[in-house]
Amino acid sequence: MMMAMPNSIPKFENLDQENKHLREELTQLKEDKAKVIEKERWISIGRLAAGIAHEINNPLGFVQNNLFALDLYIQNFSQLIQNYHLLLESIAHIPEVKAALTKLKEIEKSLKIAENMVEINNAFTQCHDGLKRIENIVKTIRNFSQNESVSEEETEPYNINICVENAIILTKTEHRYHTDFITDYGDIPLIECNPGKLTQVFLNILINACHAIREFHSPDQQRGMIMIKTKAVRNQIICEITDNGPGIPEEIQNHIFDPFFTTKGAIGTGLGLSICTDIISKHKGEITLTSKLNQGTSFIITLPQ
Ligand SMILES: Nc1ncnc2c1ncn2[C@@H]1O[C@H](COP(=O)(O)OP(=O)(O)OP(=O)(O)O)[C@@H](O)[C@H]1O
Ligand SMILES: [Mg+2]
């Protein structure tokens, strides 16, 4: 008598399929969870930064106002002293005045008043410049943190040169001692985009470049260099970010965009570039790279106009 074949084999096949399916879903869930945590992290960083920026903004305001006032008062004094000089010169034929004038000129010389005036002007120019830079950093941080809470779907016509510049300002505060930033901004049209998200992309790529440079160049060696170039080509906008770091070995170039891939051990989450890919693909663009060992890496971001 023939035994009927158990019909459990197809069930095992189903189980295998289901197992595979569940494993894929679990991986996807892990990735989604990590991305939500990373997004929350950016939002918290944004809030913290916005708080600090707000605190800096108040004293910055009165320091700037006082500096402008001091600058003006010193110019007034300087103008008054010049008028005293002219007056004294005009009555220098009176012997007592002539003697007093000679004495005054000696004092002015010994106190180096003329040189001091030049230095005061230089100091004011540098202070105004320094405060302007702080003001820009504060503005950038505030813009960035406001954008962090904006939904990803919200877009507006924007010039991505501004996103790049904002990302550079945010990166420079920490890394300018090791790295020079060279920019070549093309004349590019506005594109419909989410400026905060694109700033986050440029920020991630710039920070990666700074990390790579920092590991590669010792402090007494030549400084690191990051070149950022934007241009409009046909119906695309291209942004190239090139560093002179160690380059990326060919065998890992295919993995660096994978979630959790990092060569930075515990300090890296390995999510930076995968988030960049996400954001850029939502903008219907792409990120590619070219890299040469011991020479550096270029990330090329292409966005449709
Ligand atoms: N400019 C670069 N030069 C050399 N290696 C780079 C560069 N940019 C990225 N990488 C490599 O790509 C890996 C993945 O980068 P990614 O930004 O995704 O994560 P991470 O920087 O390691 O971690 P996190 O962004 O969370 O701090 C890095 O660990 C590094 O090995
Ligand atoms: Mg990174």
Side-chain angles (χ1 to χ4, degrees), residues 38 41 204-205 207-213 243 245-249 252 255-258 261-264 267-274 291 296-297 299:
E38 181 67 6
R41 191 171 73 108
N204 271 327
I205 293 177
I207 291 173
N208 278 347
C210 289
H211 284 165
I213 282 170
D243 64 65
I248 304 175
I252 69 163
H255 301 296
I256 59 168
F257 295 100
D258 295 347
F261 180 88
T262 181
T263 53
K264 299 178 188 166
I267 58 157
T269 65
L271 282 171
L273 285 176
S274 95
S291 185
T297 304
F299 280 89

Side-chain angles (χ1 to χ4, degrees), residues 60-109:
L60 179 68
F62 62 74
V63 171
Q64 258 173 334
N65 285 343
N66 285 341
L67 193 75
F68 273 114
L70 279 173
D71 197 357
L72 182 71
Y73 299 155
I74 297 240
Q75 280 175 36
N76 288 348
F77 276 121
S78 160
Q79 216 176 333
L80 184 71
I81 289 170
Q82 278 170 23
N83 278 305
Y84 281 138
H85 261 269
L86 290 176
L87 176 70
L88 287 172
E89 296 283 359
S90 71
I91 51 172
H93 53 274
I94 304 167
E96 291 84 354
V97 174
K98 189 171 184 171
L101 192 58
T102 312
K103 182 90 190 131
L104 265 181
K105 280 184 177 166
E106 272 167 20
I107 295 172
E108 270 185 15
K109 206 169 166 193

Side-chain angles (χ1 to χ4, degrees), residues 50 53 136-150 158 162 166 170 195-196 199:
N136 275 344
I137 293 170
V138 169
K139 241 189 237 159
T140 307
I141 293 174
R142 289 179 109 181
N143 264 347
F144 179 68
S145 42
Q146 270 159 16
N147 266 314
E148 263 315 293
S149 49
V150 168
Y158 210 77
I162 302 173
N166 286 343
L170 290 167
T199 305

Side-chain angles (χ1 to χ4, degrees), residues 21 24-25 43 51 54 76-77 106 126 128 131 135 148 158 170-171 185 208 224 255:
H21 186 66
E24 280 168 4
E25 270 193 355
I43 291 176
H54 180 76
N76 288 348
F77 276 121
E106 272 167 20
Q126 279 183 20
H128 285 307
L131 290 175
E135 192 187 307
E148 263 315 293
Y158 210 77
L170 290 167
T171 319
Y185 293 124
N208 278 347
H255 301 296

